[in-house]
């Protein structure tokens, strides 16, 4: 079945440092979404990427969808303690409505 | 807008009993809802897709007779964990798409933490 892996599993940074998580799918995706889950909370939608090579920015967050539509990345510039949480990518195949979630990257930010 | 609620937020039950979890879309209609299970420090695993007015579609490896899903209305889906065992202890999260808005993002409920003793 479809697998979506993320690296790293965990990253600890100091506030102000940059952070990147990478998402790789075993199959081509029609679109990819990113979610953030705070400790004890539920996933919250961040963004969706649809086009090959697409890049989108949200303030300090930059999202990229690979040319082959099998990988994606999320980059955070100058992390803040409010960025703490687990970041999941989630991909869709074809016209399917269901999402396959990646393994997640847990980000810890300290002062 | 696009709020999904779950009830209860946490439940403790004894082994062998059944537990029902409700998922409601509060301000939109959802023909499709999704049920996930998340173990500590792990990812969300899709259990089943709940379709209003028809049978749920279960993912491979998920026992449909153990995890009963009912999607009787456009705003309510229920998941019943039958004959629960300690290994069923987990965080159960539902989500729904607000197709009326034309978006494809999923809105997640706050989750239900189930502990089976």
């Amino acid at each position: 079945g479809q697998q979506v892996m993320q690296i790293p599993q965990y990253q600890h940074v100091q506030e102000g440092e940059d952070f990147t998580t990478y998402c790789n799918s075993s199959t081509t995706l029609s679109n990819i979404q990113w979610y953030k889950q705070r400790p004890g909370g539920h996933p919250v939608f961040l963004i969706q990427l649809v086009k090959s090579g697409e890049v989108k920015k949200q303030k300090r967050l930059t999202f990229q969808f690979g040319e082959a539509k099998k990988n994606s990345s999320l980059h955070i510039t100058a992390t803040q303690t409010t960025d703490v949480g687990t970041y999941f990518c989630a991909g869709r195949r074809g016209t399917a409505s269901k999402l396959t979630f990646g393994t997640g990257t847990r980000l810890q930010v300290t002062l | 807008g696009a709020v999904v609620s779950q009830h209860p937020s946490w439940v403790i039950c004894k082994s062998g009993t059944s537990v029902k979890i409700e998922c409601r879309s509060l301000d939109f209609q959802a023909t499709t809802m999704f049920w996930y299970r998340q173990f500590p420090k792990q990812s969300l695993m899709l259990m089943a897709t709940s379709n209003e007015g028809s049978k749920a579609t279960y993912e491979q490896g998920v026992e449909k007779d153990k995890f009963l899903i009912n999607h009787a209305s456009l705003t309510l889906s229920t998941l019943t964990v039958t004959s629960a065992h300690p290994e069923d202890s987990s965080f159960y999260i539902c989500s729904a798409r607000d197709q009326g808005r034309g978006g494809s993002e999923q809105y997640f409920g706050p989750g239900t933490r189930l502990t089976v003793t």
Side-chain angles (χ1 to χ4, degrees):
Chain A
Q2 182 186 11
Q3 290 188 323
V4 182
M5 305 296 292
Q6 284 181 252
I7 54 170
Q9 276 188 308
Y10 170 76
Q11 185 147 17
H12 183 178
V13 300
Q14 291 205 316
E15 191 176 49
E17 292 181 336
D18 292 355
F19 159 78
T20 304
T21 171
Y22 299 92
C23 171
N24 292 287
S25 170
S26 59
T27 59
T28 302
L29 303 170
S30 56
N31 61 67
I32 195 158
Q33 299 180 359
W34 284 90
Y35 291 81
K36 177 183 178 181
Q37 185 177 23
R38 292 182 185 274
H42 61 276
V44 174
F45 176 81
L46 294 178
I47 208 160
Q48 175 174 276
L49 304 170
V50 180
K51 298 176 184 176
S52 169
E54 188 171 14
V55 178
K56 286 189 177 180
K57 291 191 176 184
Q58 285 181 352
K59 297 182 180 179
R60 295 178 294 104
L61 278 61
T62 302
F63 304 84
Q64 191 166 8
F65 201 7
E67 294 289 341
K69 301 184 76 173
K70 294 180 71 173
N71 55 68
S72 181
S73 64
L74 158 60
H75 180 82
I76 303 178
T77 304
T79 55
Q80 300 175 358
T81 54
T82 53
D83 295 326
V84 165
T86 301
Y87 293 85
F88 292 100
C89 62
R92 273 205 184 90
R93 292 176 63 185
T95 57
S97 60
K98 69 178 186 181
L99 286 171
T100 299
F101 275 77
T103 47
T105 296
R106 189 161 66 94
L107 173 64
Q108 180 64 269
V109 181
T110 51
L111 295 171
Chain B
V3 178
V4 176
S5 71
Q6 271 183 252
H7 178 80
S9 55
W10 61 270
V11 57
I12 301 173
C13 72
K14 291 187 176 180
S15 188
T17 61
S18 296
V19 174
K20 180 186 283 190
I21 303 170
E22 293 184 349
C23 177
R24 293 181 187 273
S25 55
L26 296 185
D27 52 359
F28 66 99
Q29 294 184 330
T31 54
T32 303
M33 291 184 174
F34 303 90
W35 286 97
Y36 294 85
R37 181 166 51 181
Q38 185 177 35
F39 292 106
K41 296 188 177 180
Q42 292 190 23
S43 185
L44 284 78
M45 298 302 296
L46 179 66
M47 298 174 67
T49 302
S50 171
N51 305 297
E52 188 267 335
S54 65
K55 292 182 180 180
T57 304
Y58 290 82
E59 294 300 300
Q60 195 172 10
V62 178
E63 299 174 58
K64 61 181 181 181
D65 294 330
K66 180 172 180 61
F67 299 99
L68 301 178
I69 291 173
N70 187 312
H71 195 153
S73 78
L74 287 171
T75 59
L76 173 64
S77 175
T78 61
L79 167 68
T80 301
V81 183
T82 63
S83 187
H85 288 96
E87 56 265 31
D88 298 323
S89 299
S90 186
F91 192 48
Y92 292 86
I93 315 176
C94 70
S95 73
R97 290 173 64 185
D98 184 1
Q99 289 161 303
R101 296 177 189 233
S104 60
E105 66 186 85
Q106 289 191 20
Y107 299 94
F108 283 83
T112 297
R113 197 163 299 280
L114 170 64
T115 302
V116 185
T117 60

